[in-house]
Amino acid sequence: MAEVHVKTHYTKLEDTRGRFAETFENKALKQLQLDFVFSKWLREDVRASDLREDESFVKELNRLKEIYAGRREEDKEDRSLLHGDLHAGSVMVCGGSVKLIDTEFAIYGPPGLDVGSLLSTYAMAFCFHVAKGSGEATTAALLEALDKIWKTHSKQLAILGLGQEFIERCEHLTLGYAGCEICRTALGLAFERSIRIDDAEMKAKAELGALQVGACCIRSHQTKTPEALKEALIQFEKSLMI
């Protein structure tokens, strides 16, 4: 993933920049993501009513939305070829071979989108297993995997020659986009990754807790790294056990 992000990064291309941007504009499916990932859950779900009224939160969410949409001139140099909807279910592993499937949402956009989307899968799995009571071995393994993914990606970006300012920006956006995916999944807009447990009371509590995890990531994405996601998940676990 990091190799694709670097090799197709705007700063590494010359004559093909325009071709990448045009080929992977993907207007129809980008519009679908703009609604489901950034808008619909906030607009329609009563559980997000406090967030709707929080102007500072909405401002941070809209910033992430505008960057994804490619509407900000100042962000044009931080674009790469992206999967566009990367979750663990899109990663196929066989021995030492790794392939990505379901690439219909591919766009030319901010690399942090792919990393954040992937991290959100592990974050929601963590919330599910905490709510289910699966045990420390399972939840600790998920946190370790989450940590390794973003740190390995950042390390590979550096090894492959991407500038430090873009690596730091990727880490910030990774946190923000992870937050967007967590929020919409917690509120049921990605059912296959949602918290599906039989205990209705615990399910409701876990969904609200996961929503707060996502909101925390969105609020702090301009200043913090995905380490903040790990910290928020640890707090989620503590609050759920009270």
Side-chain angles (χ1 to χ4, degrees), residues 9-232:
H9 196 266
Y10 186 91
T11 59
K12 301 295 183 180
L13 302 176
E14 294 182 2
D15 297 339
T16 54
R17 288 171 178 171
R19 178 172 63 82
F20 267 91
E22 182 179 349
T23 302
F24 295 99
E25 188 174 12
N26 207 349
K27 284 184 178 181
L29 291 184
K30 180 183 282 189
Q31 187 57 50
L32 187 66
Q33 291 289 72
L34 283 168
D35 190 28
F36 275 78
V37 177
F38 302 98
S39 303
K40 185 177 176 67
W41 59 268
L42 184 69
R43 182 178 67 242
E44 297 181 0
D45 200 302
V46 66
R47 292 170 292 179
S49 58
D50 288 345
L51 295 175
R52 279 199 297 273
E53 302 302 318
D54 185 337
E55 291 184 7
S56 62
F57 172 80
V58 173
K59 181 179 179 180
E60 296 297 337
L61 178 63
N62 283 338
R63 177 179 186 269
L64 291 163
K65 183 177 181 179
E66 292 298 297
I67 293 172
Y68 170 80
R71 296 173 183 149
R72 291 163 41 111
E73 184 66 21
E74 61 265 41
D75 302 311
K76 72 176 184 179
E77 291 191 359
D78 188 30
R79 291 182 291 170
S80 296
L81 179 60
L82 309 181
H83 180 281
D85 189 35
L86 186 58
H87 300 282
S90 299
V91 182
M92 301 289 108
V93 180
C94 181
S97 176
V98 179
K99 304 290 184 182
L100 302 183
I101 63 171
D102 299 332
T103 58
E104 64 270 20
F105 285 94
I107 63 165
Y108 197 55
L113 177 75
D114 274 351
V115 192
S117 294
L118 186 57
L119 292 191
S120 75
T121 311
Y122 289 85
M124 289 305 302
F126 177 90
C127 294
F128 166 78
H129 284 290
V130 169
K132 188 181 178 183
S134 298
E136 185 178 353
T138 299
T139 55
L142 286 164
L143 288 182
E144 182 181 5
L146 185 151
D147 216 32
K148 283 183 176 180
I149 289 169
W150 77 267
K151 288 181 178 178
T152 300
H153 184 264
S154 290
K155 182 179 179 179
Q156 287 301 116
L157 293 182
I159 289 172
L160 294 166
L162 192 64
Q164 186 59 32
E165 81 172 272
F166 292 111
I167 295 173
E168 292 176 0
R169 176 182 166 83
C170 181
E171 291 176 352
H172 293 315
L173 291 179
T174 291
L175 179 64
Y177 289 124
C180 295
E181 286 286 351
I182 291 167
C183 285
R184 68 118 165 189
T185 306
L187 297 184
L189 291 188
F191 178 74
E192 69 281 2
R193 299 188 297 276
S194 63
I195 301 172
R196 290 180 282 173
I197 57 175
D198 294 331
D199 185 332
E201 184 177 350
M202 177 59 77
K203 181 176 185 292
K205 186 176 181 181
E207 288 172 342
L208 285 177
L211 177 64
Q212 292 308 312
V213 168
C216 177
C217 294
I218 292 169
R219 284 195 179 97
S220 61
H221 81 273
Q222 292 200 59
T223 58
K224 294 186 178 181
T225 71
E227 191 67 36
L229 170 56
K230 182 178 178 180
E231 293 168 1

